């Protein structure tokens, strides 16, 4: 029997993809927002494709802010975009 592959929805393009293909943005218990490349950090998570276009869509629609229930600092968006351009 094959192991089930977890699926998550990208906040930008709204497509369901394998969890490992996406970048997790996590809100910790103290309210700080950060990137989680391991996928194991404690806190509420939202996912976005490693594609700058998906990130732009998520920023424009404020999907990450709604999902994490906190305002997201501009530097987190800037770091996300930088990581995507560099290829993670």
């Amino acid at each position: 029997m094959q192991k089930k592959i977890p699926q998550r929805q990208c906040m930008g393009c709204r497509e369901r993809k394998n969890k490992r293909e996406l970048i997790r943005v996590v809100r910790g218990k103290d309210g700080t927002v950060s990137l989680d490349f391991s996928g194991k950090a404690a806190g509420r998570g939202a996912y976005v494709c490693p594609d700058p276009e998906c990130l732009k869509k998520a920023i424009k629609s404020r999907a990450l802010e709604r999902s994490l229930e906190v305002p997201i600092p501009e530097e987190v968006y800037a770091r996300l975009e930088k990581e995507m351009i560099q290829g993670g």
Side-chain angles (χ1 to χ4, degrees):
M1 193 166 116
Q2 244 186 346
K3 191 175 177 183
K4 188 177 176 196
I5 300 169
Q7 300 270 302
R8 298 291 183 267
Q9 187 176 37
C10 170
M11 294 285 109
C13 64
R14 313 298 288 169
E15 286 183 31
R16 292 188 71 76
K17 297 185 179 185
N18 292 344
K19 183 179 171 184
R20 295 228 178 255
E21 295 174 15
L22 302 170
I23 297 173
R24 184 170 184 244
V25 183
V26 66
R27 182 197 74 206
K29 293 204 183 290
D30 58 355
T32 58
V33 178
S34 60
L35 301 176
D36 174 24
F37 293 99
S38 69
K40 297 180 193 289
R44 183 175 184 86
Y47 294 82
V48 68
C49 293
D51 175 9
E53 288 303 312
C54 281
L55 179 62
K56 286 177 187 165
K57 288 179 189 175
I59 292 169
K60 188 175 181 183
S61 67
R62 302 177 70 118
L64 287 172
E65 291 186 6
R66 282 197 312 271
S67 181
L68 297 176
E69 300 169 347
V70 291
I72 297 179
E74 195 59 45
E75 58 267 16
V76 173
Y77 285 135
R79 182 170 166 220
L80 251 176
E81 194 165 15
K82 183 179 162 194
E83 296 278 351
M84 287 177 181
I85 291 167
Q86 290 176 350

